[in-house]
Amino acid sequence: MPIRLSSPRRHLHSWYSGTTYNQSVTASDQTAQSSRIVPRHARQTLLIDADDTLWENNIYFERAITSFISYLDHRVHTAEEVREHLNRVEHDTVLSHGYGLDSFRRSLVTCFEQLTDAPLTDEKHRRIESFAQSIANQEIELLPNVDTTLADLGTRHRLILVTKGDHSEQTDKLHRSGLAPHFSAVEVLPEKHRDAYLSLATNHGCDGCNTWMIGNSPRSDINPALSAGLNAIFIPHDFTWVLEHEIVNQPPAGQQLRRLDPPFLK
């Protein structure tokens, strides 16, 4: 039966610190958990997500959406209804144009056109695009202890960044974050699904039992990695994008799924 994991996040360093983090969901017998802690000396391949795992991301989209809804100031639909409509528009836009700021701009413009009879003037178009531009202008805000944690993990494990979206946008964020030296490889995928993880594991020679996908998205990080035969670590984020929400599945026999929750460990 699927498991709903909805607790706030805890930093990934705690998973490797060999202390109180262990909340395995591979079995109901809590007394067996300590035997499933990955030894600190065992070299693992860690596939690590970027947005909302290493640095803040979706909070900036949420702020832009709030500004957009306020600007739209719809006379018929509530703010919640406008947001639900935008979610549907974003879903469709992603299917045809992929992820990234350009796709987000398209979604805002499309939502505006579908929900208002007013003409989309050049001034209105520029104003709507400014909401997306505000995201591009944001500095990279690392989550707590990320830099030092990656530095520590890199001395004992192979670290591969696995993100999805627009290649230039994602690599630019990685460059600005200062975290690039920690990773032996970087994968920017158009989508994260089972076949993508299978291909990635083959290309990088990943042994499923010693490979972990770490991230905040059940839909993109956890469930498809588990279905591809990998282990996974779920780090919930309070502002994970709604289109990434999904019930977290039980890991197949022989695989491990763990999650990290507060309090943070340094």
Side-chain angles (χ1 to χ4, degrees), residues 6-7 9 12 72 79 87-88 110 157 229-230 244 257 260:
S6 58
S7 302
R9 66 188 183 279
L12 62 89
L72 182 60
N87 290 341
R88 293 191 292 271
T110 299
H157 306 296
L230 309 179
E244 295 293 337
L257 168 63
L260 307 182

Side-chain angles (χ1 to χ4, degrees), residues 12-85:
L12 62 89
H13 177 70
S14 60
W15 182 71
Y16 301 98
S17 65
T19 53
T20 59
Y21 66 83
N22 191 41
Q23 295 187 23
S24 173
V25 291
T26 54
S28 59
D29 183 3
Q30 299 298 311
T31 62
Q33 287 185 356
S34 60
S35 66
R36 289 192 294 268
I37 298 177
V38 176
R40 288 176 60 88
H41 64 271
R43 182 171 174 81
Q44 310 288 309
T45 295
L46 310 181
L47 311 177
I48 304 178
D49 175 51
D51 294 335
D52 294 319
T53 297
L54 300 180
W55 54 69
E56 295 286 9
N57 181 68
N58 197 53
I59 57 172
Y60 307 126
F61 284 86
E62 293 297 329
R63 292 171 187 171
I65 290 171
T66 297
S67 297
F68 168 75
I69 293 175
S70 177
Y71 176 69
L72 182 60
D73 191 24
H74 208 281
R75 306 300 183 186
V76 176
H77 299 292
T78 65
E80 291 75 16
E81 290 171 336
V82 173
R83 178 58 190 269
E84 289 176 1
H85 186 81

